[in-house]
Amino acid sequence: MKTTVMKCKICETRKPRRHCPGVGGDICSICCGNEREVTVNCPLDCAYLMEARLHEKLAVINPEEIPNQDVRVTEEFLRDHEPLLIFLGAKLLEVSLETAGAVDSDVREALDSLIRTYRTLQSGLYYESRPNNLVGAAIHQKIQDAVQELRNQLSEKGATAIRDAEILGVLVFLQRVGLHQSNGRPRGRSFIDYLRANFPQKQESPVSAPSLIQV
């Protein structure tokens, strides 16, 4: 009786060592390391991905290449606008998880287009800048819808309105975090993982807390 030798589902050469939920089969450890978030869409709760997160090298950004350097985001600004930061960070996480196929590069494109949009508002004009890719554009629109809903709720409560400059500052901060959290993999979601670890996935209506915007 001939014995069937199991082979890695990716390379079809080496002996499999672990189950990969991303490909729905068993793979070798070499393919796991090489193809993780490159050709394989890895679930965020994969034990091997979570272990890799602890050791992976993130992007080293040249300070001179950081975009929007003219937008000053100080520690004082972040303290004063912490509720807005939590709201936008949590909403960015929410829409990234619910948008099919979204990866870090899509989120960064959405942040870039949102920043360009709010820059035009600062100049007294309005021009909606959107990413060319459909996933990034969907994230952009969902964030814009969330901001408009928040503004409507604040207006109904008679609360202080959010200024465009405040939203711009928070978006620029999130963009900088996203750049630093990039692992350079085409299907990488290390920034989304960072948002998941640092922002609530479920939150009450932001206007339920009177302290949302106090400026």
Side-chain angles (χ1 to χ4, degrees), residues 33-99:
N34 291 341
E35 305 305 321
R36 178 187 302 124
E37 294 190 321
V38 175
T39 61
V40 178
N41 294 317
C42 304
L44 294 177
D45 58 356
C46 171
Y48 299 105
L49 176 65
M50 294 168 67
E51 175 65 22
R53 286 275 190 261
L54 301 176
H55 309 288
E56 68 183 0
K57 295 182 180 179
L58 299 178
V60 177
I61 308 297
N62 183 338
E64 296 181 357
E65 296 177 355
I66 295 177
N68 304 298
Q69 293 187 44
D70 59 310
V71 180
R72 294 185 68 249
V73 183
T74 64
E75 291 185 8
E76 181 182 7
F77 173 87
L78 295 176
R79 285 196 302 270
D80 290 345
H81 298 84
E82 182 178 5
L84 180 60
L85 171 60
I86 292 173
F87 171 76
L88 287 176
K91 188 59 63 174
L92 187 62
L93 169 63
E94 178 185 318
V95 301
S96 298
L97 292 176
E98 73 181 21
T99 303

Side-chain angles (χ1 to χ4, degrees), residues 79-129:
R79 285 196 302 270
D80 290 345
H81 298 84
E82 182 178 5
L84 180 60
L85 171 60
I86 292 173
F87 171 76
L88 287 176
K91 188 59 63 174
L92 187 62
L93 169 63
E94 178 185 318
V95 301
S96 298
L97 292 176
E98 73 181 21
T99 303
V103 297
D104 284 354
S105 58
D106 300 310
V107 180
R108 289 194 298 268
E109 283 193 48
L111 285 170
D112 180 67
S113 64
L114 286 163
I115 289 167
R116 284 186 276 118
T117 296
Y118 280 92
R119 274 187 170 280
T120 63
L121 289 169
Q122 286 289 94
S123 65
L125 303 173
Y126 179 73
Y127 177 76
E128 187 80 14
S129 178

